[in-house]
Amino acid sequence: MAAQTRPKKPIRWHIAVFLAPAVLVYTAIMILPLFGTLQLSLFRNIEQSQVFVGLGNFRTLFGDPNWSVNFWNALRNNVWFFIIHMLVQNPIGILLAALLSSPRLRFAAFYRTAIFVPTILSFVIVGFAWKLILSPIWGVAPHLLDFVGLKSLFTPWLGKEQYALTALSLVSVWQFVGIPMMLIYAALLSIPDEVIEAAECDGVTGMAQFWKIKLPLILPSIGIISILTFVGNFNAFDLIYTAQGALAGPNYSTDILGTFLYRAFFGFQLQVGDPNMGATIATMMFLIILAGVCVYLFLVQTRLRRYQF
């Protein structure tokens, strides 16, 4: 009988003890405010009292021209903001990581540090610094272009509707290109030496080795960078607010969901804040990000698992 009885597995209480502080802090800072925002979006302030209106605020957001025009404009700008990061920041980050991972490159550590330093700078510093650099009056950009004979290409990019958002997107790319670079660099270093040696034995070297061997192996990391870029861009606010203000000028051409949410919730100048409509916009931002993350997890990541080693 004693031989047939199986010893009970010990209950690992220490796991719950160590996780409890992080879970409590995360719940207090993230989960409860999220549910509070979702709840606030279902109410409306009528005669100094909160009245449940269901999806009425969402119908106002999409059906009332006073709200829908600004919302769709902010959403279009946010999509363009994200596209520039995907097409410029991430490819440049991958290219820099490939160059810095070369064993023949000298001073690679210095280059990595120099490229990553802007990432740790404050949004306020970056926004004001680039606003001064690109200023047509006291900025250094016209003088630098004149020094290389290209002053005719200069234009007040932040002051023109067709250029302002793209210019700020490229400033954001300059600041955060170090993140995809470091993630891809770490992924390249984690590739087993046996794989590289086998490729060299087959005569695959140089750029051919990167495209045919290394790139497929780092596709999961590229997928993670893509979804992080998506989440970060649709939560963006600081750079636009610092450089262009809450009105996201000129003429709302740099307005994104973050600045639109700020004006709706807190109000600005003559506009009175509406916390219920602000919560509605925040809920839409959450749903957009949630949809993008779900698409990545269920459609993209499942296909990228074959490249993991």
Side-chain angles (χ1 to χ4, degrees):
M1 293 295 294
Q4 294 178 356
T5 58
R6 296 180 179 178
K8 294 183 179 180
K9 293 183 178 180
I11 301 176
R12 300 178 179 179
W13 294 103
H14 64 281
I15 297 179
V17 172
F18 285 121
L19 288 179
V23 172
L24 292 176
V25 172
Y26 185 81
T27 302
I29 296 178
M30 300 295 293
I31 303 300
L32 293 180
L34 173 61
F35 282 101
T37 300
L38 298 177
Q39 179 184 5
L40 190 60
S41 67
L42 302 177
F43 288 80
R44 184 175 297 166
N45 190 0
I46 300 177
E47 296 180 355
Q48 303 301 321
S49 62
Q50 292 291 320
V51 179
F52 179 78
V53 294
L55 299 178
N57 290 330
F58 294 92
R59 287 192 291 268
T60 301
L61 181 63
F62 294 115
D64 188 345
N66 294 326
W67 290 97
S68 61
V69 172
N70 290 331
F71 173 76
W72 291 115
N73 174 66
L75 182 59
R76 284 193 301 269
N77 291 338
N78 227 143
V79 171
W80 179 242
F81 193 75
F82 165 67
I83 290 175
I84 291 180
H85 281 78
M86 283 294 296
L87 297 183
V88 180
Q89 173 185 280
N90 292 347
I92 291 178
I94 295 172
L95 176 62
L96 291 174
L99 294 175
L100 294 176
S101 64
S102 175
R104 294 187 296 270
L105 180 66
R106 300 179 60 184
F107 308 111
F110 170 77
Y111 298 141
R112 288 197 306 269
T113 303
I115 295 172
F116 192 78
V117 162
T119 304
I120 63 177
L121 295 179
S122 168
F123 285 99
V124 177
I125 295 175
V126 173
F128 277 111
W130 276 98
K131 193 171 183 178
L132 292 174
I133 291 173
L134 299 177
S135 173
I137 301 176
W138 53 75
V140 298
H143 302 288
L144 293 177
L145 290 176
D146 187 27
F147 181 75
V148 296
L150 298 175
K151 188 176 182 179
S152 59
L153 299 178
F154 178 80
T155 186
W157 290 294
L158 296 182
K160 292 188 175 183
E161 297 182 23
Q162 63 269 35
Y163 300 130
L165 182 60
T166 302
L168 288 177
S169 301
L170 295 177
V171 170
S172 179
V173 167
W174 168 84
Q175 182 179 8
F176 291 108
V177 71
I179 294 179
M181 179 199 71
M182 294 302 294
L183 292 176
I184 296 299
Y185 178 77
L188 290 173
L189 294 184
S190 65
I191 297 176
D193 295 335
E194 294 80 3
V195 176
I196 305 301
E197 293 173 358
E200 293 176 350
C201 292
D202 292 336
V204 182
T205 58
M207 291 302 298
Q209 183 182 101
F210 175 79
W211 288 106
K212 296 180 180 180
I213 306 298
K214 295 181 178 180
L215 185 60
L217 293 177
I218 63 174
L219 282 180
S221 298
I222 295 177
I224 294 174
I225 291 171
S226 300
I227 196 61
L228 290 177
T229 303
F230 174 80
V231 174
N233 290 163
F234 276 86
N235 278 322
F237 166 77
D238 311 70
L239 181 63
I240 304 295
Y241 179 80
T242 302
Q244 303 295 85
L247 293 178
N251 195 23
Y252 300 107
S253 60
T254 59
D255 195 20
I256 58 176
L257 293 175
T259 51
F260 181 44
L261 164 64
Y262 176 85
R263 292 196 310 274
F265 197 100
F266 298 102
F268 189 75
Q269 293 181 350
L270 299 179
Q271 177 181 343
V272 180
D274 188 342
N276 299 106
M277 289 303 299
T280 304
I281 299 170
T283 301
M284 287 304 306
M285 294 173 62
F286 168 73
L287 293 177
I288 292 171
I289 294 173
L290 180 63
V293 172
C294 289
V295 168
Y296 168 76
L297 292 178
F298 295 106
L299 297 181
V300 179
Q301 189 177 17
T302 53
R303 299 184 180 183
L304 292 180
R305 287 176 182 172
R306 73 184 69 175
Y307 299 106
Q308 293 179 347
F309 51 85

